Amino acid sequence: MTKAVFKLALIANLLVALGFGPGLAATLDVDDVPAPAWSPVPFARPADFAAYMAQRHAWPREKIDALLVDYKANAQVIRLMEPPAQSFKRSWQSYRKRFIEPKRVAAGVNFWQENQDALDRASKRFGVPAYVIVGIIGVETIYGRNTGSFQVLDALATLSFDYPRRAAYFSKELEHFLLWTEEQGIDPKTIRGSFAGAIGLPQFMPGSIRRHAVDFDGDGSIDLGASKADAIGSVASFLKRHGWQSQSKQKTRVHLQLKPQQEASEEARKKILEAGWQPRLQKRDIEKAGLGFPKESKDRSDPQKKEKPKQQTREKSDQKDAAGAHAWAVFELPNADAQSTWIATDHNFWVITRYNQSPFYAMAVLELGEAVRDERRRQLAKPSEAATSAEVKTKNIATKTQSAESKAVGQAIPKDTKIKSADGKHDD
């Protein structure tokens, strides 16, 4: 590699590290977040990586050599990383069915019930709703049931040295992984995770663990595999540090109606999509492209209890102009050969895509979280409904009994007999 090429690569990666690259997280608080490690160029072989770690972090080369002495590219990791065949037709509806299904929803209800305190604390501290946290952990690992069986060191090494398409990214994650295990006193060879090197219930990459994970159970360490509290707090921390807006009154997403009868060309919708993932569009711009907002403005994603009439009136007034007052992004979610699903999304939707850069993923997180929340509410309402029903039945029985007794007494007393009151006097 020439010096000029090396310098260009060095500058490019430095810009990415400083926040000028695509798909980068929102600005973080430099006071409490360590600067991410970064690698100037992809490494051809483990020896090159060992030389870099020795120069950058003063790691003895023999230490890296010992860890990677038996390195051999994992063919299964590479196969799983490959994009689908060009003939594959993406479908949001098919993707949705994988995650919003009864077993996963039931597991989510149990997870919420068992971790109510941690979810409440995380929501209060970071401002992220519990159902969003539950949705992410459910989509990622079915609440810890499937955290991955690949040796993380092996997976990250394979993707750093033998997967050129993403080598620059995964070599940074390999660096983070070794630094993290060194900091925590963990043997790198013992950590298991996904084929991409993601770890624990929330499937954090090593860089995210170092930047965003928190000790949320107060035991002095961060364990995303065994501590559900740490996983919950870390997911909320990640979203908050990427700009989650807890005070936003805007809907996270709205389903749009495609209006072919309107004179809107495909070119107009293409320009709408090219506006990007962050919300920049106004309602009028979206409607000009033949995409209509629903008439009903009630937010099904966060139903509230009945409010006083004045509150309802004010809420309806606010909702009437809500869609037009906010900025939106627009996504087209393909459904294979069927009609696409069109959605308008807010800033918090974009924040979820920082966790996994896919609108399919963000939609699945929201819909699973909402399904779990709604099922939990339904189950919690059952005892009160049963109690109310039993109370009504008891009152009915008591009323019938009292009526029967009164009737019997009336029949037993002659019509012309006077009845004594409680004080012994006759009632005239």
Side-chain angles (χ1 to χ4, degrees):
M1 176 179 290
T2 66
K3 290 184 179 180
V5 173
F6 179 84
K7 286 181 179 179
L8 286 172
L10 190 66
I11 293 170
N13 282 277
L14 179 58
L15 289 173
V16 169
L18 293 175
F20 297 99
L24 200 73
T27 303
L28 304 178
D29 185 348
V30 295
D31 293 331
D32 63 351
V33 182
W38 54 276
S39 306
V41 291
F43 302 101
R45 302 307 310 155
D48 301 323
F49 181 74
Y52 168 78
M53 290 294 287
Q55 184 273 330
R56 178 78 175 180
H57 302 291
W59 271 41
R61 290 196 57 163
E62 57 269 20
K63 187 175 183 177
I64 300 293
D65 292 340
L67 287 173
L68 301 175
V69 64
D70 298 323
Y71 169 73
K72 182 180 179 181
N74 188 319
Q76 187 180 9
V77 166
I78 294 175
R79 179 178 62 80
L80 290 170
M81 280 297 298
E82 285 298 292
Q86 291 184 351
S87 59
F88 175 76
K89 295 182 179 180
R90 297 172 68 238
S91 170
W92 156 241
Q93 291 302 328
S94 297
Y95 183 92
R96 182 186 185 280
K97 289 177 182 177
R98 289 168 49 194
F99 299 102
I100 293 79
E101 46 85 23
K103 289 184 178 180
R104 201 177 294 247
V105 171
V109 172
N110 291 334
F111 179 83
W112 196 322
Q113 181 65 27
E114 294 170 359
N115 299 280
Q116 174 81 57
D117 176 66
L119 286 166
D120 288 346
R121 287 191 296 112
S123 294
K124 184 176 180 180
R125 176 174 169 181
F126 298 105
V128 180
Y131 79 89
V132 175
I133 302 170
V134 170
I136 285 178
I137 297 176
V139 168
E140 291 291 346
T141 61
I142 320 180
Y143 308 102
R145 293 185 186 182
N146 182 20
T147 57
S149 58
F150 289 84
Q151 186 190 70
V152 171
L153 176 63
D154 179 56
L156 292 176
T158 295
L159 296 171
S160 297
F161 309 136
D162 287 282
Y163 194 67
R165 193 169 70 86
R166 301 290 306 279
Y169 169 77
F170 283 105
S171 62
K172 288 186 289 184
E173 291 301 329
L174 177 59
E175 180 182 357
H176 275 302
F177 176 70
L178 293 178
L179 293 174
W180 169 64
T181 54
E182 175 79 2
E183 291 160 359
Q184 298 297 315
I186 303 171
D187 180 356
K189 293 186 176 182
T190 64
I191 304 298
R192 299 280 166 174
S194 77
F195 64 86
I199 298 167
L201 276 78
Q203 292 290 274
F204 269 26
M205 293 299 291
S208 289
I209 293 177
R210 297 187 72 220
R211 290 191 289 268
H212 308 302
V214 295
D215 171 20
F216 211 57
D217 60 11
D219 68 352
S221 64
I222 299 172
D223 188 346
L224 300 183
S227 172
K228 293 177 181 178
D230 286 357
I232 288 167
S234 296
V235 169
S237 168
F238 181 100
L239 295 176
K240 180 63 177 178
R241 288 184 174 183
H242 282 79
W244 185 273
Q245 296 177 351
S246 58
Q247 301 301 318
S248 175
K249 294 181 180 180
Q250 187 177 1
K251 297 178 182 180
T252 309
R253 85 284 190 203
V254 173
H255 284 267
L256 301 173
Q257 300 167 346
L258 184 62
K259 298 180 178 180
Q261 71 274 15
Q262 285 190 232
E263 295 182 1
S265 65
E266 296 242 349
E267 187 65 26
R269 285 192 284 275
K270 183 179 178 182
K271 288 182 179 179
I272 287 291
L273 295 173
E274 288 175 349
W277 288 23
Q278 287 185 279
R280 297 185 178 94
L281 301 167
Q282 296 301 310
K283 180 183 178 183
R284 60 179 179 274
D285 302 320
I286 298 170
E287 290 180 331
K288 285 179 182 178
L291 297 167
F293 282 76
K295 294 180 180 179
E296 293 295 329
S297 57
K298 292 181 180 179
D299 188 352
R300 294 181 181 180
S301 68
D302 192 16
Q304 301 292 326
K305 294 180 180 179
K306 290 184 178 180
E307 300 172 327
K308 296 178 182 179
K310 288 184 179 179
Q311 291 176 315
Q312 290 178 330
T313 301
R314 185 173 63 251
E315 188 70 20
K316 287 181 179 180
S317 177
D318 292 341
Q319 289 174 345
K320 186 176 181 180
D321 299 320
H326 298 293
W328 301 91
V330 171
F331 291 94
E332 179 186 9
L333 308 180
N335 288 311
D337 295 324
Q339 187 178 36
S340 296
T341 298
W342 289 82
I343 56 172
T345 62
D346 77 336
H347 173 79
N348 284 341
F349 187 94
W350 176 82
V351 171
I352 297 174
T353 65
R354 300 308 87 201
Y355 204 102
N356 183 315
Q357 295 187 26
S358 162
F360 276 25
Y361 175 86
M363 281 288 283
V365 163
L366 291 170
E367 295 208 6
L368 175 61
E370 290 163 2
V372 171
R373 180 198 60 198
D374 294 346
E375 174 61 19
R376 180 172 176 272
R377 285 174 175 171
R378 188 187 69 79
Q379 292 185 14
L380 289 174
K382 276 185 176 180
S384 59
E385 289 174 359
T388 301
S389 177
E391 186 178 346
V392 170
K393 288 181 180 178
T394 302
K395 287 182 178 179
N396 288 340
I397 293 172
T399 301
K400 289 179 180 179
T401 302
Q402 186 177 7
S403 176
E405 290 175 349
S406 299
K407 186 176 181 180
V409 170
Q411 290 175 345
I413 300 174
K415 290 182 180 180
D416 57 350
T417 304
K418 291 185 178 181
I419 303 175
K420 286 185 177 180
S421 61
D423 59 3
K425 297 179 179 178
H426 290 284
D427 291 328
D428 294 325

